[in-house]
Amino acid sequence: DSGVTQTPKHLITATGQRVTLRCSPRSGDLSVYWYQQSLDQGLQFLIQYYNGEERAKGNILERFSAQQFPDLHSELNLSSLELGDSALYFCASSVFGSGIPPSTDTQYFGPGTRLTVL
Amino acid sequence: AQSVTQLGSHVSVSEGALVLLRCNYSSSVPPYLFWYVQYPNQGLQLLLKYTTGATLVKGINGFEAEFKKSETSFHLTKPSAHMSDAAEYFCAVSDSGGYQKVTFGTGTKLQVIP
């Protein structure tokens, strides 16, 4: 158990709909990262938040948005869903937020949310 | 732009044999390199990372990787494969040093034969 929780585990929805994925980081971790894993695109970094602020953006579509709340949990909002958005969405957390992490720092991943768009 | 190439989408080794998973990177700046593992139906786990300092990096579960700038490589090795090592392994590169904005390779599935 990594200590990172994600809900829901599975989500099935229709094209055009909007969903929210939730992530709770490990206790003490200030940074949350979101990733997408799909058959077509492989693993992709989407976005990172650190202590409530956006720190880095990757290949995140404009239809997608995220935020990190004062209690440090994060939500990834996916709207106007398309078939190609079907994927496994992971979040991860770490203590460190930017620059080069010390050797003692590591990332911890949640089990993922599997999104199926029909 | 940064990228990684993982040679071999599938690798099979016998239990007890050497594990060698290959990764070559391309980066316009000094790279920061990572190996992640994904066990069947599970999330990712960070195995090890190279940021600065010693070029031979030791990770969890007996794995290690060596950063070779002259060869633009960061191959992952383990002296003796265990059945529990069967998983998919991803090499990744970042030009920022941190975990953010990493670019992942396409992954190598490791099969361990008893």
Side-chain angles (χ1 to χ4, degrees):
Chain A
D1 182 4
S2 67
V4 178
T5 59
Q6 288 188 250
T7 56
K9 282 188 177 178
H10 301 276
L11 200 48
I12 301 174
T13 189
T15 54
Q17 294 299 304
R18 172 190 170 94
V19 297
T20 297
L21 312 184
R22 181 187 170 108
C23 169
S24 293
R26 267 170 47 106
S27 176
D29 285 358
L30 300 177
S31 224
V32 171
Y33 311 79
W34 285 97
Y35 302 86
Q36 180 197 58
Q37 184 176 32
S38 67
L39 288 175
D40 289 343
Q41 312 259 21
L43 258 171
Q44 294 191 99
F45 165 74
L46 295 178
I47 198 164
Q48 178 209 3
Y49 278 81
Y50 179 79
N51 204 20
E53 293 188 2
E54 182 186 304
R55 271 292 167 93
K57 245 180 178 176
N59 298 324
I60 188 165
L61 299 172
E62 284 192 12
R63 300 184 284 109
F64 295 1
S65 65
Q67 57 185 128
Q68 187 178 28
F69 294 86
D71 67 352
L72 301 178
H73 91 271
S74 177
E75 292 180 357
L76 179 67
N77 300 296
L78 315 177
S79 62
S80 303
L81 285 167
E82 302 175 0
L83 296 177
D85 297 327
S86 295
L88 196 50
Y89 292 85
F90 289 111
C91 78
S93 71
S94 70
V95 171
F96 212 67
S98 63
I100 302 171
S103 58
T104 51
D105 188 75
T106 193
Q107 259 185 323
Y108 295 90
F109 284 79
T113 293
R114 184 168 293 282
L115 174 66
T116 302
V117 182
L118 301 175
Chain B
Q2 58 194 24
S3 65
V4 290
T5 301
Q6 292 186 241
L7 298 174
S9 57
H10 290 81
V11 170
S12 293
V13 299
S14 298
E15 192 176 14
L18 171 73
V19 175
L20 171 60
L21 304 183
R22 298 177 188 274
C23 172
N24 287 89
Y25 69 88
S26 171
S27 177
S28 57
V29 297
Y32 302 93
L33 297 156
F34 307 82
W35 275 101
Y36 293 86
V37 61
Q38 186 174 26
Y39 296 102
N41 300 315
Q42 292 188 32
L44 289 160
Q45 189 174 7
L46 178 64
L47 269 180
L48 50 80
K49 61 182 184 289
Y50 167 76
T51 53
T52 58
T55 55
L56 181 62
V57 182
K58 293 188 185 300
I60 60 172
N61 302 338
F63 284 93
E64 61 183 36
E66 187 170 11
F67 169 59
K68 290 188 177 180
K69 185 178 177 182
S70 61
E71 299 177 8
T72 61
S73 70
F74 190 57
H75 301 331
L76 182 71
T77 60
K78 181 174 181 178
S80 176
H82 195 272
M83 295 299 294
S84 60
D85 295 325
E88 189 159 20
Y89 294 79
F90 295 91
C91 181
V93 63
S94 164
D95 60 7
S96 67
Y99 308 115
Q100 62 274 29
K101 288 199 169 185
V102 289
T103 299
F104 291 91
T106 51
T108 297
K109 281 189 178 166
L110 176 67
Q111 179 187 23
V112 182
I113 303 166

